[in-house]
Structures are given as C-alpha cells and as structure tokens.
Amino acid sequence: MYDLIIIGAGPAGLSAAVYGRRAGLDLLVIEQMPMSGGQVMNTYEVDNYPGLPGIGGFELGQKFKQHADGQGAAFHTGKVVRIGDGGGKKFVELTDGTVFEARALILAGGAEHAKLGVPGEDTFRGQGVSYCATCDGAFFKKRDVAVIGGGDVAVEDAVYLSRFCRKVWLIHRRDSLRAAKSLQEKLFACENVEVVWDSVLLAIEGGDLVEKIRVHNKKEETERELPVEGVFIAVGMHPDTAACKGVVACDEGGWVIAGEDCKTNVPGIFAAGDIRTKEVRQIVTAVADGACAVASAERYLTLL
Ligand code: NAP
C-alpha cells in the first residue's frame, strides 16, 4: 500500500509528486496518457509562467515530469474509473481492473475546455485556435481575432484581446450575454470589439494557419465570412470527475469542492489544480495546489 496516490500528471499532479517525494512519501502517480503534462502539453508557448518566459508548453510539461522522475516518483499509465474510501485505506480502480491502494489520495485530473465540435477546431488547435486568451493572446498583436461564447470568460477574453488586437469579433449564440454586467460594460466600451449576436460558428478555415471563420446568424438565416487569424473558444469547462462521483462532494458544475488547503469533504482525499473549485485556473495556481495538497496530506498521514 502506498502512502499517497496522485491521480493526474499535469502541473498539479507533478508538483504534488515533487513535494511528496521530498517529504519522503512512498507515492504513485497515475497518468492517463503515456506523455505527462496535462493541458500544458497542448499549449504552443507559455509566456506567463514566472522565470521561464516563452517556454514551449510541451517543454514545460516535460520539465515538470523530469523533475518528478528525478525525485524518484513512480508512474503508472491508466485511466481511473473509480476511487473508494475505506477510512485509513483508499483505493483506485483502473479500466483494466487493476486496483491500487494508498493511505491518502490527491485528485489532480484537471479539466478540459469544452469544445464546439466544428470543422477546423481540432486541425487548427495551436495554429490559430486557442482555449486560453491569457496564454496565447499575445501571439495575435495587431491581428483580427474572434472569441466564441457569451459568459464571463468569453467577455473577459474579448476585453483582454482588445488591448492589443486590431479587431475582436465576439460571436454569441443569443441576443444577450450571460457575463456579469460589470464585464459587459467594459466590453461595450471597447471601440475595436464588435459583437455578432444570435450567431454560431460553422467552420474554421485556412491553410497552415487560421485565415477565416464562417458564421451563421440563426435569426436572419444568413451566413458570413470573417477574416480572422485567431479563434478563442470560451464556451465553458468540464472537470474530469466521473471517477469521484458519490465519493467526494462536487458543486453543481461537477468541480470537487475544496479550498486552498485542497481538503475535500473526505478525510485523506485532497483535490489539486483545475479539478477543484477555484477562481483562477492557470499553470501557476495548479503548481501551487500541488504543494498545498501535499502539505495537507502530510498532516493527515502523521495523525493517522
Ligand atoms: P459559462 O458561464 O458556462 O459560459 C459559457 C458561454 O458559452 C455561454 O455564454 C454559453 O452560451 C456559451 N456556449 C456554451 N456552449 C456553447 C456552444 N455549443 N455554442 C456556442 N456557445 C456556447 O462558462 P465560462 O465563461 O467559462 O465561465 C465558467 C465559470 O467561471 C462561470 O461560473 C463564471 O461565472 C466563472 N468566471 C467568473 C469570472 C469572474 O467572476 N470574473 C471570470 C471568469 C469565469 P449561453 O449563454 O447561450 O448559454
């Protein structure tokens, strides 16, 4: 039986592995993909991780993994389908039936940006299609871009991008925004933002990079092309919490309820990174969670 099992090998899970090993814990990291790193691996360039400006997402993910390897963390590739709580003994079951046991668990499976499923979305991911304006916006200085969505994130993204992009189109499927009024006021004060109401994205097109999008107006039954080089999709996030259902408490959006100490409602089960309820989902906050979750886990294990 391990002291600690960490589910997920993104920035939160790998940071927890480094801190856990340094604390002398016998731990196992379970990663879904053979290549660790989480969402960061799909980011072309990371320009907001302190100390490493402009580092490639793939390179940063690999550095996290190498750091955890260097500390002697053990890894197993597999998809977790179920976790269980037996008090001082927790278990984790994988799709192939393998079961691992530990005295404590850290849930660090992360979250995925919701996708639209339109033609071109996957093809141009990292080549003009992005799910994170704060990560990738700077690559589109003085360019025309589109943001898809009408929530807080889409409106914040549009306002942020308007500061350095030439023109920002905000494409929203209804005739009113879901975003907070204060954000809407900021948006409508931006001279280079144009909202395209009642409209859905049909396709993202181009050559090697994005060149244009096709948009359908549902009320007027018309279609138009917008020449843009960047498409920022902000239509919500999905946490990866199917395996934890019924074991730890989640909010109505499916996020595991945990504060800065990463404690869930179940003693000995902790949640770190994007998977937990939090305001800012960034690499740097996920990495911080890894450390906080291990500190809480250590205290729990000492008292067990
Ligand atoms: P969200 O609030 O769920 O908004 C998602 C937006 O995407 C909605 O406008 C929705 O349209 C649209 N959408 C969803 N599926 C779509 C589809 N298939 N095609 C076209 N449009 C689609 O998600 P979010 O903006 O990512 O925010 C997530 C959470 O974080 C929210 O609770 C938000 O309040 C919070 N947050 C808060 C702040 C802040 O307080 N400053 C900042 C960021 C995020 P409809 O409106 O028609 O449903």
Side-chain angles (χ1 to χ4, degrees):
M1 182 159 77
Y2 291 95
D3 293 326
L4 178 66
I5 290 177
I6 299 163
I7 302 171
L14 293 172
S15 162
V18 169
Y19 274 78
R21 286 300 300 147
R22 284 175 55 82
L25 300 178
D26 180 23
L27 63 84
L28 176 69
V29 182
I30 300 180
E31 48 177 346
Q32 200 171 321
M33 310 287 277
M35 191 61 80
S36 307
Q39 292 173 57
V40 66
M41 302 300 270
N42 298 320
T43 307
Y44 174 69
E45 196 174 297
V46 178
D47 215 12
N48 56 4
Y49 194 78
L52 298 170
I55 189 167
F58 188 82
E59 189 188 349
L60 183 58
Q62 282 196 317
K63 279 186 185 290
F64 289 150
K65 172 73 161 59
Q66 284 158 7
H67 196 166
D69 278 338
Q71 295 292 331
F75 286 83
H76 182 91
T77 304
K79 175 144 180 71
V80 175
V81 283
R82 207 155 61 94
I83 64 164
D85 173 39
K89 189 197 273 187
K90 323 288 182 200
F91 75 83
V92 171
E93 187 182 335
L94 309 187
T95 39
D96 65 2
T98 309
V99 175
F100 292 107
E101 290 176 344
R103 297 195 295 145
L105 299 182
I106 294 179
L107 312 175
E112 281 191 347
H113 292 281
K115 292 169 80 177
L116 284 171
V118 297
E121 184 175 6
D122 286 339
T123 319
F124 292 108
R125 187 169 180 159
Q127 310 294 326
V129 172
S130 168
Y131 296 82
C132 178
T134 47
C135 316
D136 300 326
F139 301 117
F140 297 89
K141 278 185 182 136
K142 298 191 170 68
R143 312 284 172 88
D144 293 356
V145 298
V147 176
I148 319 298
D152 285 336
V153 171
V155 171
E156 274 186 352
D157 284 358
V159 171
Y160 172 74
L161 292 164
S162 74
R163 295 186 193 132
F164 47 84
C165 291
R166 190 171 55 187
K167 170 99 186 181
V168 180
W169 305 90
L170 181 67
I171 320 285
H172 183 41
R173 63 182 176 183
R174 294 187 292 118
D175 61 1
S176 65
L177 297 166
R178 178 184 293 276
K181 285 283 172 288
S182 56
L183 284 171
Q184 295 192 34
E185 281 165 18
K186 280 190 195 168
L187 180 86
F188 297 133
C190 297
E191 285 178 0
N192 59 341
V193 176
E194 185 171 336
V195 184
V196 182
W197 299 106
D198 303 308
S199 296
V200 292
L201 186 62
L202 289 180
I204 303 166
E205 297 173 348
D208 289 338
L209 302 170
V210 170
E211 291 167 9
K212 63 182 179 194
I213 55 173
R214 284 197 290 118
V215 174
H216 172 73
N217 184 305
K218 296 190 294 176
K219 271 196 183 154
E220 294 167 4
E221 289 295 338
T222 53
E223 192 180 312
R224 70 193 284 199
E225 279 187 6
L226 298 174
V228 295
E229 291 175 63
V231 182
F232 291 87
I233 298 172
V235 294
M237 301 269 290
H238 296 308
D240 188 2
T241 47
C244 327
K245 288 259 153 61
V247 181
V248 292
C250 297
D251 72 3
E252 67 283 357
W255 310 95
V256 178
I257 298 172
E260 217 172 301
D261 59 9
C262 298
K263 288 181 184 169
T264 69
N265 63 317
V266 179
I269 303 184
F270 307 90
D274 283 3
I275 199 168
R276 78 168 176 92
T277 46
K278 54 160 53 187
E279 281 294 316
V280 182
R281 294 195 166 88
Q282 291 281 303
I283 301 169
V284 76
T285 59
V287 164
D289 273 8
C292 296
V294 167
S296 294
E298 264 189 281
R299 275 194 287 276
Y300 167 81
L301 289 169
T302 308
L303 298 173
L304 199 61

